[in-house]
Amino acid sequence: MKRSELVTYLDAYLEVASFEGIDRSMNSLVVGPLDREVHTVAFAVDACQAVFEGAIEAGADLLVVHHGLFWGQPLAVCGPHYTRLKTLIEGNLDVYAAHLPLDAHSEVGNNITIARKLGLQDIQGFAEHKGRMLGFKGTLADGRSAEWISARLGFKNPLILPFGDEVIHRVGIVSGGASSDVLAALSDGLDCFITGEFEHQYYHDAAEGGITVIAGGHYVTETFGPLALMEHIRETFSLNVVFVANPTGL
Amino acid sequence: MKRSELVTYLDAYLEVASFEGIDRSMNSLVVGPLDREVHTVAFAVDACQAVFEGAIEAGADLLVVHHGLFWGQPLAVCGPHYTRLKTLIEGNLDVYAAHLPLDAHSEVGNNITIARKLGLQDIQGFAEHKGRMLGFKGTLADGRSAEWISARLGFKNPLILPFGDEVIHRVGIVSGGASSDVLAALSDGLDCFITGEFEHQYYHDAAEGGITVIAGGHYVTETFGPLALMEHIRETFSLNVVFVANPTGL
Amino acid sequence: MKRSELVTYLDAYLEVASFEGIDRSMNSLVVGPLDREVHTVAFAVDACQAVFEGAIEAGADLLVVHHGLFWGQPLAVCGPHYTRLKTLIEGNLDVYAAHLPLDAHSEVGNNITIARKLGLQDIQGFAEHKGRMLGFKGTLADGRSAEWISARLGFKNPLILPFGDEVIHRVGIVSGGASSDVLAALSDGLDCFITGEFEHQYYHDAAEGGITVIAGGHYVTETFGPLALMEHIRETFSLNVVFVANPTGL
Amino acid sequence: MKRSELVTYLDAYLEVASFEGIDRSMNSLVVGPLDREVHTVAFAVDACQAVFEGAIEAGADLLVVHHGLFWGQPLAVCGPHYTRLKTLIEGNLDVYAAHLPLDAHSEVGNNITIARKLGLQDIQGFAEHKGRMLGFKGTLADGRSAEWISARLGFKNPLILPFGDEVIHRVGIVSGGASSDVLAALSDGLDCFITGEFEHQYYHDAAEGGITVIAGGHYVTETFGPLALMEHIRETFSLNVVFVANPTGL
Amino acid sequence: MKRSELVTYLDAYLEVASFEGIDRSMNSLVVGPLDREVHTVAFAVDACQAVFEGAIEAGADLLVVHHGLFWGQPLAVCGPHYTRLKTLIEGNLDVYAAHLPLDAHSEVGNNITIARKLGLQDIQGFAEHKGRMLGFKGTLADGRSAEWISARLGFKNPLILPFGDEVIHRVGIVSGGASSDVLAALSDGLDCFITGEFEHQYYHDAAEGGITVIAGGHYVTETFGPLALMEHIRETFSLNVVFVANPTGL
Amino acid sequence: MKRSELVTYLDAYLEVASFEGIDRSMNSLVVGPLDREVHTVAFAVDACQAVFEGAIEAGADLLVVHHGLFWGQPLAVCGPHYTRLKTLIEGNLDVYAAHLPLDAHSEVGNNITIARKLGLQDIQGFAEHKGRMLGFKGTLADGRSAEWISARLGFKNPLILPFGDEVIHRVGIVSGGASSDVLAALSDGLDCFITGEFEHQYYHDAAEGGITVIAGGHYVTETFGPLALMEHIRETFSLNVVFVANPTGL
């Protein structure tokens, strides 16, 4: 199919336009010449050199990433950024980015996908950012431990700060580097806050507020959305899809 | 010589760092991989497709332009911008930009070069922009007409608004699109304001303030600096130089 | 009729209040003592000395202009501005300004009037500015040349940049000095962008994007709205109306 | 003498340019046509209708005021503002404003003049505003009561909040409406803060911090500077001078 | 009852959340440990040491004030602020603040309560502040004098500026320090503007615009809301209530 | 000694005033009543409940912390913050905060202390933040491994990203959560960047730029400054000092 048709579909499905002024990431198509055919679409967490090479090796025409290339500041085309663009241009690989749209999406977003994996009930939006909820919160009907949650989500080496009750019912989720949303979790009276990275700066808020924090890794918690979106695209269009893994350990 | 040596020289000579926070243009090296050798340097007014192709055809390794590629907003690598970067990368042409540093420079800037061409005396800085003078002003000892000035500067089809005295003594110069600086010229009591483009918006300020305006064209008035810098580089280093003309008529 | 009644009518008809925070021009009544009678209303593009004198000579009580006197900065009552106010006060001429409200209006705005003059079909809003469409776009059913369009609009000495197809179907219009809206025209896939002044800065965007630009003059393109509003007022109220022409050639 | 010579002198003497970006008042000449002769200069606190009429009646060519006409926002020439400008233009009265420059001046400012009237010793700058000291502070060698201070300054009906020691040694002064500077007085460990108007909002800061506040009236405390400047101009130039009193009781 | 239940009720009744971004005061509960029982609620205008001591002496568990402790800037816990918090913590007194919510409220706000006390008819919102009406305006059917109004509101020592007609029909009200809203009163064509404190800065606007101003005192005009809210709480819940008076004379 | 004398000394020695507008932390004395005697001074990284209790148990009168209580936003005195202030007030413990002043200090700052511990030569300022260098950089004369550096600094469980040469010569240091300063380290051509926490967001910059990152923990890297300052105070004054350890593992 035409790349432009797929871009139009993704922009609408992910409600990209509604994040203008909210997301400092440049979303939608960020690298690509005039329209061309797409046969294989790669998905990944980060727009980085290793992922670009992996996607080209896998024969992809378009790469869909959660973390794109442009973050509100112009970027000189020098050093590693030169190498990245040279690789993309010579490899005929175009790039589509979806940052907050792929955190907050109610079907394939990172957070809703984690919430469903945990079997949460009464799922609602959580953690406002410039007037928009980016995360989700809900209830574990049976009550579970932090270890059960970590195992269920496949976290290999999670950071667990066990400051709340051992039996967890009310859970809030914001993937990636979202330490400050522990304050929203405290305001909302939750038992547990799940995120990717957790900073020292909010340690005492969690400790003195009495909430359990599970930090599963920035990279790991942000594979859920790209994988769910990949599945959605595979089911919706007759396109080859491939996930390019590139874990950072962070 | 190494491109990095030339970039270091240009940054210092043009005082690029001192324009941080003043110039929204990204200056210095804006396209280029890790260091490489430079043999031929091209100079031009605009960073555009036609100039890139001309410079590559002329065998240039580095192109020095007055109007660069980045202006404070990130730019998706799509459409014509994709073509531009592809051309530069495949043509092994790097790009160095110097916007306000090449307007305001006291030896090779657009404005000082025009001032010297006119033989102005008592030359001083003129037209403050965020605390920095970008233009120059001075005196025509003999008194001259707007037509004499236009001819002296080689303006083919200038816009002349003859609202001041016919005999011009005190002249202020800001190249390019600098209509609003006619207000500085009025405050300073000048007889004539020379610029590139002049907008309707300031017509009545000139008319009622009684000052003659000469608009020689944005492109034309901004060839003076690149040509002077080219000459300076030719004299300072053993490098081939070439000017890539691409007039827009504006 | 009372001036206050006419001002109330104009404020409502032109939806002046809805442009607060969008238009840096001070709109509505900008010069006038406590209420008085209006018999003759003058219309013009610019609030300048020559127009004030013309309107007073024509016996006008109120002058309606597109470009008013105040643009977001306080203005010392000195030099030409002193003369302007003295002329108005001694000539008993009041001033009403309507800047963006008279660009964007869907009945008598500059842009809709141009669109109708061209016989565009499927007319829609075009070129967003702070959340508001200021221009209009539409389709020339038969396909026309840039020369046909210029002649149809009475442009004497237009700047035509013929970078698009010779036969023009999709047209976008923003009167005055609106060069940057050529980017909106490119995004919207139009064949031709009509404006008043066109700056060097956007030349290469037009050239490489492949769109034809027609710049008919800032003054000329902004006579359409004042003339249409004059006609509307003449038909609506029993008032004398007069248009005070004062072309700048820009 | 030429008005322009006097304006140049006042701008330099009052260091008007150094208050750019600090004072939201438009200072220097704010109403006046091209240059004309000045014979009589009036001085007053406020630029208001009654003062304009008084100055014209006194035969003044130029009026120097502490509170000018423009405060950072453009002002429609309507209603009372229309009447003011009409009065000035028809009465051939020009207006020069000096707001913060006439508060902070070290020879003729409101605050230094009050400080000298009180015979303060060890006088230093006091109460920073955007990096600039606007007031002065110093010591009453003998120790005085709030009543003695009020009488010495000619305050008719002062507000005295006697929260500090009865015997006052260390005094800080900021004329006009400067309630918030009581916080600076507390930081500096002063015994007494003298100002014009004092607001409820800072009452408890004064009470709990234990400092005596004397509010002599906004108008009254700001007559000191204009009178001192009048005296200075009378001594420096051969000009007639006149003070136009217009107390508001506030 | 639980303090948290009362806080939830007050937040909803006073629509506290809707003032976010409008009110620089921190509203809702501003001092208090985890939940505890409330038996006696004190009401006052200002959060100050004398009021805290009065409320503790009266046996209050919670103090509701119009002027709270935090105004957009962090505050070091030093000097008098240390003493205040020590007093509250040792006295087991919690504090709830409601600033603009208690000015603008349509049942128990300062302004509506004054409007009802005067028997105004056709009551509407008045005096916009960041998109929200804070005051009320309405009509005195019979026409009254400034003295009648002052007496009716119990003003002991009001400032009356009698610049309008003696017989007052149209009245606008904004309690506290709201001098600048006299401009809204002039725009709305009112006969009289009632506020708490009135500054010199707006004296000439009132005088030349021809409107009567009544300034009844910041403290006095802001007792109406707390007293009305106290009555409402007494009627709604079985709680003891007490008003802690602490007039400043300002 | 008097607490006020010590506060005055610390303010001057740490150049606290020079960080105004640079540091969003409120520095200097942040909790304390009017002056009192200090005998024992505690030092710690964080102002948190556990540290407060530890310092009180150790008999401290004053606690000096790197991370204080106030960060640019007002804070309701509720929940854990209420408990913290109650603990401090009842325990007679005052708090002094020094955030960026204790990062950037050239004798006892976190970064210079690390630099000296490593035996760096040619030490210079590094990593600008709002016009001020917060870190230090220098050279390891002999060349060392990342493991040697970690061991030398006592890092128990460091994160090492070994993207640069194995033998490290040029080192840059910014303690705490300073991931983004890896970009400064790349610009400066360093071999190794030492910090506290390192985020996923900058992983690929480090990887593709080819620099080794050592993240020793936010808490651990910020014990160096408080310990050095404690030693300095012990040597300068006859005061008891104690360090209150409270590692977070982050």
Side-chain angles (χ1 to χ4, degrees):
Chain A
M1 73 190 291
K2 284 283 178 197
R3 190 198 61 205
S4 58
E5 289 171 62
L6 184 56
V7 165
T8 301
Y9 178 81
L10 287 168
D11 284 355
Y13 179 63
L14 298 172
E15 301 170 44
V16 165
S18 70
F19 286 88
E20 183 127 12
I22 297 177
D23 195 351
R24 68 190 179 88
S25 166
M26 182 187 285
N27 294 318
S28 190
L29 189 74
V30 296
V31 178
L34 285 189
D35 212 2
R36 47 185 174 186
E37 283 293 314
V38 181
H39 302 284
T40 299
V41 185
F43 294 79
V45 175
D46 300 322
C48 63
Q49 186 63 22
V51 163
F52 294 167
E53 292 171 7
I56 290 166
E57 209 167 313
D61 309 296
L62 178 67
L63 169 69
V64 175
V65 289
H66 180 51
H67 298 127
L69 287 163
F70 304 110
W71 297 88
Q73 298 296 327
L75 207 53
V77 182
C78 296
H81 186 49
Y82 185 99
T83 309
R84 288 177 174 187
L85 292 182
K86 183 170 160 47
T87 303
L88 292 170
I89 289 169
E90 292 181 348
N92 285 308
L93 178 65
D94 299 345
V95 180
Y96 183 98
H99 182 229
L100 298 189
L102 197 48
D103 285 318
H105 197 267
S106 63
E107 282 183 19
V108 297
N110 286 309
N111 298 314
I112 194 70
T113 307
I114 292 173
R116 287 192 179 139
K117 185 88 177 178
L118 290 175
L120 296 192
Q121 298 180 354
D122 298 324
I123 294 178
Q124 300 172 51
F126 165 63
E128 189 186 308
H129 177 74
K130 297 190 184 175
R132 183 127 192 180
M133 295 299 187
L134 296 185
F136 286 96
K137 64 183 176 188
T139 306
L140 282 164
D142 298 335
R144 299 292 191 176
S145 67
E147 288 69 26
W148 182 91
I149 290 172
S150 296
R152 177 78 188 145
L153 296 173
F155 294 166
K156 292 289 156 35
N157 203 17
L159 170 76
I160 298 180
L161 302 179
F163 297 129
D165 285 345
E166 270 191 42
V167 181
I168 292 164
H169 289 274
R170 308 246 320 122
V171 175
I173 305 159
V174 183
S175 65
S179 312
S180 64
D181 290 326
V182 73
L183 303 179
L186 285 165
S187 292
D188 290 6
L190 306 184
D191 302 326
C192 175
F193 174 58
I194 301 174
T195 188
E197 293 171 290
F198 194 75
E199 297 169 283
H200 171 87
Q201 181 179 346
Y202 295 96
Y203 179 95
H204 303 294
D205 290 299
E208 297 177 26
I211 191 172
T212 291
V213 174
I214 305 175
H218 195 131
Y219 176 83
V220 169
T221 56
E222 302 207 321
T223 55
F224 289 91
L227 284 164
L229 178 60
M230 180 171 79
E231 202 51 30
H232 174 81
I233 292 300
R234 201 181 55 74
E235 286 167 5
T236 311
F237 300 101
S238 55
L239 288 163
N240 302 318
V241 299
V242 58
F243 185 78
V244 183
N246 188 54
T248 61
L250 300 179
Chain B
M1 74 191 292
K2 285 282 177 198
R3 191 199 61 205
S4 58
E5 290 172 62
L6 184 56
V7 165
T8 301
Y9 177 82
L10 287 168
D11 284 355
Y13 179 61
L14 297 173
E15 300 170 46
V16 166
S18 70
F19 286 87
E20 183 127 12
I22 297 177
D23 195 350
R24 69 191 178 87
S25 167
M26 182 188 286
N27 294 318
S28 190
L29 189 73
V30 295
V31 178
L34 285 188
D35 212 2
R36 47 186 175 187
E37 284 293 313
V38 180
H39 303 285
T40 299
V41 185
F43 294 79
V45 175
D46 300 323
C48 63
Q49 186 62 23
V51 162
F52 294 166
E53 291 171 7
I56 290 166
E57 208 168 314
D61 308 297
L62 178 68
L63 169 68
V64 176
V65 289
H66 180 50
H67 298 127
L69 286 163
F70 303 110
W71 297 88
Q73 298 297 326
L75 207 53
V77 183
C78 296
H81 186 49
Y82 185 99
T83 308
R84 288 175 173 188
L85 292 182
K86 183 170 159 53
T87 303
L88 293 170
I89 289 169
E90 292 181 350
N92 285 309
L93 179 65
D94 299 343
V95 181
Y96 183 99
H99 181 230
L100 298 188
L102 198 48
D103 285 318
H105 197 267
S106 62
E107 282 182 20
V108 297
N110 286 309
N111 298 315
I112 194 70
T113 307
I114 292 173
R116 288 194 179 136
K117 185 88 177 180
L118 291 176
L120 295 192
Q121 298 180 353
D122 299 324
I123 294 178
Q124 300 173 51
F126 166 62
E128 189 185 308
H129 177 75
K130 296 189 183 174
R132 183 123 192 183
M133 294 299 187
L134 296 185
F136 286 96
K137 65 184 176 187
T139 305
L140 282 164
D142 299 335
R144 299 292 190 175
S145 67
E147 288 69 25
W148 182 91
I149 290 171
S150 296
R152 178 78 187 145
L153 295 174
F155 294 165
K156 292 289 154 36
N157 203 17
L159 170 76
I160 298 180
L161 302 179
F163 297 130
D165 285 345
E166 269 190 44
V167 181
I168 293 165
H169 289 276
R170 307 247 319 123
V171 175
I173 305 158
V174 184
S175 65
S179 311
S180 64
D181 290 326
V182 73
L183 302 179
L186 285 165
S187 291
D188 289 6
L190 307 184
D191 303 325
C192 177
F193 174 58
I194 301 174
T195 188
E197 292 171 290
F198 195 74
E199 298 168 284
H200 171 86
Q201 181 179 347
Y202 295 97
Y203 178 95
H204 302 296
D205 290 299
E208 296 177 26
I211 191 171
T212 290
V213 174
I214 304 175
H218 195 131
Y219 176 84
V220 170
T221 56
E222 303 208 320
T223 56
F224 289 90
L227 284 164
L229 178 60
M230 180 171 79
E231 202 51 30
H232 174 82
I233 291 301
R234 200 181 56 75
E235 285 167 5
T236 310
F237 300 100
S238 56
L239 288 163
N240 302 319
V241 299
V242 57
F243 185 78
V244 183
N246 187 53
T248 62
L250 300 180
Chain C
M1 72 190 293
K2 285 282 177 198
R3 191 198 61 206
S4 58
E5 289 171 62
L6 184 57
V7 165
T8 301
Y9 177 82
L10 286 168
D11 283 355
Y13 179 63
L14 298 173
E15 300 169 45
V16 165
S18 70
F19 286 87
E20 183 126 12
I22 297 177
D23 195 350
R24 69 191 178 88
S25 166
M26 182 188 287
N27 294 318
S28 190
L29 189 75
V30 295
V31 179
L34 285 188
D35 212 3
R36 48 184 173 187
E37 283 294 312
V38 182
H39 303 284
T40 300
V41 185
F43 293 79
V45 175
D46 301 322
C48 63
Q49 186 63 22
V51 162
F52 294 166
E53 292 172 6
I56 289 166
E57 208 167 313
D61 308 296
L62 178 67
L63 169 69
V64 176
V65 290
H66 180 50
H67 298 126
L69 286 163
F70 303 110
W71 297 88
Q73 298 296 326
L75 207 54
V77 183
C78 296
H81 185 49
Y82 185 99
T83 309
R84 287 176 175 189
L85 292 183
K86 184 170 161 48
T87 303
L88 292 171
I89 288 169
E90 293 181 349
N92 285 308
L93 179 65
D94 299 344
V95 181
Y96 182 99
H99 181 230
L100 298 189
L102 198 48
D103 285 317
H105 197 267
S106 62
E107 283 182 19
V108 298
N110 286 308
N111 298 314
I112 194 71
T113 309
I114 292 173
R116 288 194 179 138
K117 185 88 177 180
L118 290 175
L120 296 192
Q121 298 179 355
D122 299 325
I123 294 178
Q124 300 172 52
F126 166 63
E128 188 185 310
H129 177 75
K130 296 190 183 174
R132 184 125 192 181
M133 294 298 188
L134 296 186
F136 286 96
K137 64 183 177 187
T139 306
L140 282 163
D142 299 335
R144 298 293 190 176
S145 68
E147 289 69 24
W148 182 91
I149 290 171
S150 296
R152 177 79 188 145
L153 296 174
F155 294 165
K156 291 289 153 36
N157 202 17
L159 170 76
I160 298 180
L161 302 179
F163 297 131
D165 285 345
E166 271 190 43
V167 181
I168 292 164
H169 288 276
R170 307 246 320 121
V171 175
I173 305 159
V174 184
S175 66
S179 311
S180 64
D181 289 327
V182 73
L183 302 179
L186 285 165
S187 291
D188 289 6
L190 306 184
D191 303 325
C192 176
F193 173 58
I194 300 174
T195 188
E197 293 171 291
F198 195 75
E199 298 169 283
H200 171 86
Q201 181 180 346
Y202 295 96
Y203 179 94
H204 303 295
D205 290 298
E208 297 177 26
I211 190 172
T212 291
V213 173
I214 304 175
H218 194 131
Y219 177 83
V220 169
T221 56
E222 303 206 321
T223 56
F224 288 90
L227 285 164
L229 178 60
M230 180 171 80
E231 202 52 29
H232 175 81
I233 292 300
R234 201 181 55 75
E235 286 168 6
T236 310
F237 300 100
S238 56
L239 288 163
N240 301 319
V241 300
V242 57
F243 186 78
V244 182
N246 188 54
T248 62
L250 300 179
Chain D
M1 73 190 292
K2 285 281 177 198
R3 190 198 61 205
S4 59
E5 289 171 63
L6 183 56
V7 165
T8 301
Y9 178 82
L10 286 168
D11 284 354
Y13 179 62
L14 298 172
E15 300 170 44
V16 166
S18 70
F19 286 86
E20 184 129 10
I22 297 177
D23 195 350
R24 69 191 177 87
S25 166
M26 182 188 286
N27 294 318
S28 189
L29 190 74
V30 296
V31 179
L34 284 187
D35 212 2
R36 48 186 176 186
E37 283 293 313
V38 181
H39 303 284
T40 299
V41 186
F43 294 79
V45 175
D46 300 321
C48 63
Q49 186 63 22
V51 163
F52 295 166
E53 291 171 8
I56 290 165
E57 208 167 312
D61 309 295
L62 179 67
L63 169 68
V64 176
V65 289
H66 180 50
H67 298 127
L69 286 163
F70 304 110
W71 297 88
Q73 297 297 326
L75 207 54
V77 183
C78 296
H81 186 50
Y82 185 99
T83 309
R84 288 175 174 188
L85 293 182
K86 184 170 159 52
T87 302
L88 292 170
I89 289 169
E90 293 181 349
N92 285 309
L93 178 66
D94 299 343
V95 180
Y96 182 98
H99 182 230
L100 298 189
L102 198 48
D103 285 317
H105 197 267
S106 62
E107 282 183 19
V108 297
N110 286 309
N111 298 315
I112 194 69
T113 307
I114 293 173
R116 288 194 180 137
K117 186 88 178 179
L118 291 176
L120 295 192
Q121 298 180 355
D122 298 324
I123 295 178
Q124 301 173 50
F126 165 61
E128 188 186 310
H129 177 74
K130 296 190 184 175
R132 184 125 191 182
M133 293 300 188
L134 296 185
F136 285 96
K137 63 183 177 189
T139 306
L140 283 164
D142 299 334
R144 298 292 190 175
S145 68
E147 288 69 26
W148 182 91
I149 290 172
S150 296
R152 176 80 187 144
L153 296 174
F155 294 165
K156 293 287 154 39
N157 203 17
L159 170 76
I160 298 179
L161 304 179
F163 298 130
D165 285 345
E166 270 191 42
V167 180
I168 292 165
H169 289 276
R170 308 249 315 126
V171 175
I173 305 159
V174 184
S175 65
S179 311
S180 64
D181 289 326
V182 73
L183 303 179
L186 285 165
S187 292
D188 290 6
L190 306 184
D191 302 325
C192 176
F193 173 59
I194 300 174
T195 188
E197 293 170 290
F198 194 75
E199 298 169 282
H200 171 86
Q201 180 180 347
Y202 295 97
Y203 179 95
H204 302 295
D205 290 298
E208 297 177 25
I211 190 171
T212 290
V213 174
I214 304 174
H218 194 131
Y219 176 85
V220 169
T221 56
E222 302 208 319
T223 55
F224 289 90
L227 285 164
L229 178 61
M230 180 172 80
E231 202 51 32
H232 174 82
I233 292 301
R234 201 180 55 76
E235 287 167 4
T236 311
F237 300 100
S238 56
L239 288 164
N240 301 320
V241 299
V242 59
F243 185 78
V244 183
N246 188 54
T248 62
L250 299 180
Chain E
M1 73 190 291
K2 285 281 178 198
R3 190 198 62 205
S4 59
E5 288 171 62
L6 183 57
V7 165
T8 300
Y9 177 82
L10 286 168
D11 284 355
Y13 179 62
L14 297 173
E15 301 170 44
V16 166
S18 70
F19 285 87
E20 183 128 11
I22 296 177
D23 195 350
R24 69 192 177 86
S25 166
M26 182 188 286
N27 294 318
S28 190
L29 189 74
V30 295
V31 178
L34 285 188
D35 212 2
R36 49 186 173 186
E37 283 293 313
V38 182
H39 302 284
T40 299
V41 186
F43 294 80
V45 174
D46 300 322
C48 63
Q49 186 63 21
V51 163
F52 295 166
E53 292 171 6
I56 290 166
E57 209 167 314
D61 309 296
L62 179 67
L63 169 69
V64 175
V65 289
H66 180 50
H67 298 127
L69 286 163
F70 303 110
W71 297 89
Q73 297 297 326
L75 207 54
V77 183
C78 296
H81 185 49
Y82 184 99
T83 309
R84 288 176 174 188
L85 293 183
K86 185 170 163 38
T87 302
L88 292 171
I89 289 169
E90 294 181 349
N92 286 309
L93 179 65
D94 299 344
V95 181
Y96 182 99
H99 182 230
L100 298 189
L102 197 50
D103 285 317
H105 198 267
S106 62
E107 282 182 21
V108 298
N110 286 308
N111 298 315
I112 195 70
T113 307
I114 292 173
R116 288 196 179 135
K117 185 88 177 179
L118 290 175
L120 296 193
Q121 298 180 354
D122 298 325
I123 295 178
Q124 300 172 50
F126 166 63
E128 187 187 310
H129 177 74
K130 296 192 185 173
R132 184 125 191 180
M133 294 300 187
L134 296 185
F136 286 95
K137 63 183 176 188
T139 306
L140 282 164
D142 299 334
R144 299 292 190 174
S145 67
E147 288 69 25
W148 182 92
I149 290 171
S150 296
R152 177 80 187 144
L153 295 174
F155 294 165
K156 293 287 154 39
N157 203 17
L159 170 76
I160 298 180
L161 302 179
F163 298 131
D165 285 346
E166 269 190 44
V167 181
I168 293 164
H169 289 275
R170 306 237 330 115
V171 175
I173 305 159
V174 185
S175 66
S179 312
S180 64
D181 289 326
V182 73
L183 303 179
L186 285 165
S187 292
D188 289 6
L190 306 185
D191 302 325
C192 176
F193 173 58
I194 300 174
T195 188
E197 293 171 292
F198 195 75
E199 298 170 283
H200 171 86
Q201 181 179 347
Y202 295 96
Y203 179 94
H204 302 296
D205 290 298
E208 297 177 26
I211 190 170
T212 291
V213 174
I214 305 175
H218 194 130
Y219 177 83
V220 170
T221 57
E222 303 207 320
T223 55
F224 290 90
L227 284 165
L229 178 60
M230 181 172 79
E231 202 52 30
H232 174 82
I233 292 300
R234 200 181 56 75
E235 286 167 5
T236 310
F237 300 100
S238 56
L239 289 163
N240 301 319
V241 299
V242 58
F243 185 78
V244 183
N246 187 55
T248 62
L250 301 179
Chain F
M1 73 190 292
K2 284 282 178 198
R3 191 198 62 204
S4 59
E5 289 172 62
L6 183 57
V7 165
T8 300
Y9 178 81
L10 286 168
D11 284 355
Y13 179 61
L14 298 173
E15 300 170 46
V16 165
S18 70
F19 286 87
E20 184 128 10
I22 297 177
D23 195 350
R24 68 191 179 89
S25 167
M26 182 188 286
N27 294 317
S28 190
L29 189 73
V30 295
V31 178
L34 284 187
D35 211 2
R36 47 186 175 185
E37 284 292 313
V38 180
H39 303 284
T40 300
V41 185
F43 293 79
V45 175
D46 300 322
C48 63
Q49 186 63 23
V51 163
F52 294 167
E53 291 171 7
I56 290 166
E57 208 168 314
D61 309 296
L62 178 67
L63 169 69
V64 175
V65 289
H66 180 49
H67 298 127
L69 286 164
F70 303 110
W71 297 89
Q73 298 297 326
L75 207 53
V77 183
C78 295
H81 186 49
Y82 185 100
T83 308
R84 288 176 174 188
L85 293 182
K86 184 170 156 59
T87 303
L88 292 170
I89 289 169
E90 293 181 348
N92 285 309
L93 179 66
D94 298 345
V95 181
Y96 183 98
H99 182 229
L100 298 189
L102 197 48
D103 285 317
H105 198 267
S106 62
E107 283 182 19
V108 297
N110 286 309
N111 299 314
I112 194 71
T113 307
I114 292 173
R116 288 194 178 136
K117 185 88 178 179
L118 290 176
L120 295 193
Q121 298 180 353
D122 298 325
I123 295 178
Q124 300 173 50
F126 165 62
E128 188 186 310
H129 177 74
K130 296 192 184 172
R132 184 124 191 182
M133 294 298 189
L134 297 186
F136 286 96
K137 63 184 176 188
T139 306
L140 282 163
D142 298 335
R144 298 293 189 175
S145 67
E147 288 69 25
W148 182 92
I149 290 171
S150 297
R152 177 80 187 144
L153 296 173
F155 294 165
K156 291 289 153 38
N157 202 18
L159 170 75
I160 299 180
L161 302 179
F163 297 131
D165 285 345
E166 270 189 44
V167 181
I168 292 165
H169 288 276
R170 308 247 318 122
V171 175
I173 305 159
V174 184
S175 65
S179 311
S180 64
D181 289 326
V182 73
L183 302 179
L186 285 165
S187 292
D188 289 5
L190 306 185
D191 303 325
C192 176
F193 173 59
I194 301 174
T195 189
E197 292 170 292
F198 195 75
E199 298 168 284
H200 171 86
Q201 181 180 347
Y202 295 97
Y203 179 95
H204 303 295
D205 290 300
E208 297 177 26
I211 190 171
T212 290
V213 174
I214 305 175
H218 194 131
Y219 177 84
V220 170
T221 56
E222 304 208 320
T223 55
F224 289 90
L227 285 165
L229 178 60
M230 180 172 80
E231 202 52 30
H232 174 82
I233 292 301
R234 202 181 55 77
E235 287 167 4
T236 310
F237 300 100
S238 57
L239 288 164
N240 301 319
V241 299
V242 58
F243 185 78
V244 183
N246 188 54
T248 61
L250 299 181

